[in-house]
């Protein structure tokens, strides 16, 4: 027999509570009827009935399964590229401790939600670089996420076109024969100085590659730390202020049938992002046979209810006047 909920400690606890309460009941009963002639045999019979249906309730609660069978389980897989903006503006502190540090924390939790999917990592600023190709190895992805910093890429502005083009090229060159849902998680504060953005978004849509954009930052923005000071705007001579600009990110998502999400002072939508990607219908990545059995708790529950009903409608006399 297989148990669906084999919680021995809880079962023993419930049995102990039952024994304690029933002993209290017997003690009170005996005290009230100490001057009367007690029908010990009938009292014992009632104890047996109540103990029997309590034990049956415990067995039903544990979820007994009898008999063995096998069924095929299909594991669906998706291909996901995570593109992370590493421009200097990602060091802004309007999202504590900084935009980039917050993204690293969220990504390490996000990838755990997709254990059967292939995940790749692209980093970009004015150029895009393949940090990690599509892989099932989450430990490798975690290591690359730990090492993310703005010094890994040239910083001459932000080009959102570059990572999207790189992701699409890798998807198109993928030699895997499996039909999988393909998507890109584009993470940035939204500043875009690249060309042909609308063109690459259109190509992604034509190839059924969805873009899920994650904007990080606030409308108020903040200064950008660098060394012991801050980045200065050469046009004004004042400290540069980086704000969340979501227009390009929203466009990429809407045109590819994806969705836009934010981490800002008004929204914390990383959980919604995980749910949206999880809803994508993936291809069959693996099949395996697992042992399955039918839960037979109902029969024990039915027998327990029958005895409990009998106890209620056919009371057994325990004293004789």
């Amino acid at each position: 027999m297989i148990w669906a909920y084999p919680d021995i400690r809880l079962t023993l606890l419930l049995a102990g509570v039952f024994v304690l309460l029933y002993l209290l009941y017997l003690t009170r009963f005996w005290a009230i009827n100490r001057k009367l002639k007690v029908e010990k045999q009938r009292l014992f019979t009632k104890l047996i009935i109540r103990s029997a249906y309590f034990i049956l309730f415990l067995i039903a609660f544990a979820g007994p399964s009898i008999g063995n069978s096998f069924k095929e389980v299909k594991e669906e897989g998706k291909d996901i590229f995570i593109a992370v903006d590493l421009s200097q503006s990602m060091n802004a502190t309007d999202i504590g401790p900084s935009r980039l540090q917050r993204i690293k924390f969220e990504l390490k939790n996000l990838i755990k939600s997709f254990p059967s999917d292939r995940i790749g990592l692209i980093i970009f600023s004015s150029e895009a670089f393949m940090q990690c190709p599509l892989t099932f190895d989450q430990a490798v992805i975690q290591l690359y996420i730990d090492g993310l910093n703005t010094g890994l890429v040239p910083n001459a502005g932000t080009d959102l076109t570059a990572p999207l083009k790189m992701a699409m090229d890798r998807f198109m060159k993928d030699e895997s024969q499996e039909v999988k849902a393909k998507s890109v998680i584009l993470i940035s504060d939204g500043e875009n100085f690249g060309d042909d953005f609308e063109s690459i978004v259109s190509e992604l849509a034509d190839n059924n590659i969805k873009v899920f954009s994650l904007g990080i930052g606030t409308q108020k923005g903040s200064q950008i730390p660098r060394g012991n000071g801050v980045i200065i705007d050469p046009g004004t001579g004042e400290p540069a202020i980086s704000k969340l600009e979501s227009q390009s990110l929203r466009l990429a998502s809407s045109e590819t049938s994806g969705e836009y999400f934010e981490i800002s002072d008004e929204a914390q939508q990383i959980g919604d992002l995980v749910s949206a990607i999880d809803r994508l219908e993936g291809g069959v990545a693996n099949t395996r046979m697992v042992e399955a059995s039918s839960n037979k708790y109902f029969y024990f529950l039915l027998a327990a209810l029958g005895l409990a009903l009998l106890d209620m409608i056919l009371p057994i006399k325990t004293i004789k006047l």
Side-chain angles (χ1 to χ4, degrees):
M1 184 177 291
I2 301 172
W3 303 97
Y5 310 102
D7 194 333
I8 303 300
R9 294 179 61 183
L10 179 58
T11 301
L12 292 177
L13 176 62
L14 293 175
V17 171
F18 171 77
V19 171
L20 178 61
L21 292 178
Y22 208 83
L23 286 176
L24 291 175
Y25 163 75
L26 291 177
T27 302
R28 180 175 175 79
F29 177 86
W30 202 275
I32 294 174
N33 296 277
R34 62 184 180 276
K35 296 183 179 181
L36 302 175
K37 183 178 180 181
V38 179
E39 294 284 348
K40 296 182 177 63
Q41 183 177 358
R42 294 186 178 182
L43 184 62
F44 180 75
T45 302
K46 198 169 185 67
L47 174 61
I48 292 297
I49 292 176
R50 291 179 175 176
S51 299
Y53 68 69
F54 180 78
I55 291 173
L56 289 172
F57 276 131
L58 287 181
I59 294 174
F61 175 77
S65 299
I66 304 171
N68 297 320
S69 62
F70 291 88
K71 66 178 180 179
E72 184 181 55
V73 176
K74 296 181 179 180
E75 296 179 353
E76 292 187 349
K78 297 180 279 288
D79 284 345
I80 306 168
F81 268 117
I82 301 174
V84 183
D85 185 356
L86 293 184
S87 59
Q88 289 292 334
S89 59
M90 291 294 286
N91 288 326
T93 56
D94 52 348
I95 303 294
S98 72
R99 295 174 183 174
L100 181 56
Q101 291 302 319
R102 176 63 179 274
I103 284 299
K104 289 169 65 173
F105 172 79
E106 297 290 0
L107 282 181
K108 294 183 72 173
N109 292 321
L110 180 145
I111 65 172
K112 294 177 183 178
S113 302
F114 306 104
S116 62
D117 302 322
R118 291 198 304 173
I119 300 176
L121 183 62
I122 297 173
I123 57 177
F124 70 95
S125 180
S126 55
E127 300 178 50
F129 301 89
M130 181 60 63
Q131 190 77 341
C132 180
L134 292 169
T135 179
F136 289 107
D137 192 340
Q138 294 206 354
V140 171
I141 295 291
Q142 294 277 11
L143 287 175
Y144 279 114
I145 291 174
D146 283 334
L148 292 178
N149 65 83
T150 55
L152 294 176
V153 294
N155 275 281
T158 304
D159 182 2
L160 296 179
T161 305
L164 296 179
K165 187 176 188 305
M166 177 172 286
M168 188 182 70
D169 289 343
R170 290 302 179 101
F171 281 140
M172 296 299 100
K173 294 177 181 178
D174 184 16
E175 298 179 354
S176 173
Q177 299 300 313
E178 299 172 357
V179 179
K180 294 185 176 183
K182 297 177 173 62
S183 59
V184 180
I185 301 176
L186 181 61
I187 303 173
S188 175
D189 51 26
E191 295 175 331
N192 182 26
F193 301 98
D195 298 324
D196 300 324
F197 181 71
E198 294 184 9
S199 175
I200 190 64
V201 168
S202 178
E203 290 185 49
L204 288 166
D206 291 341
N207 288 280
N208 199 28
I209 300 172
K210 301 181 187 298
V211 177
F212 294 90
S213 300
L214 180 63
I216 180 163
T218 64
Q219 298 298 323
K220 181 179 179 181
S222 72
Q223 298 177 0
I224 307 170
R226 182 166 64 182
N228 294 325
V230 296
I231 292 179
I232 302 298
D233 186 338
T236 63
E238 299 292 329
I241 302 296
S242 174
K243 302 178 182 180
L244 172 62
E245 299 179 7
S246 63
Q247 295 88 345
S248 295
L249 297 174
R250 292 179 184 273
L251 175 64
S253 297
S254 63
E255 292 296 318
T256 60
S257 301
E259 295 183 56
Y260 172 78
F261 304 95
E262 271 188 16
I263 297 178
S264 66
D265 51 356
E266 297 180 351
Q268 306 294 326
Q269 298 179 323
I270 193 72
D272 296 331
L273 169 61
V274 172
S275 298
I277 297 175
D278 195 49
R279 288 194 296 269
L280 293 178
E281 184 176 351
V284 178
N286 186 31
T287 60
R288 57 191 175 95
M289 300 299 294
V290 298
E291 186 176 352
S293 53
S294 179
N295 196 326
K296 300 296 193 300
Y297 80 94
F298 180 79
Y299 299 105
F300 294 92
L301 180 60
L302 186 62
L305 290 174
L307 288 176
L309 185 61
L310 180 65
D311 184 31
M312 292 172 58
I313 64 177
L314 297 176
I316 300 173
K317 293 183 179 180
T318 56
I319 61 174
K320 183 177 181 181
L321 297 177

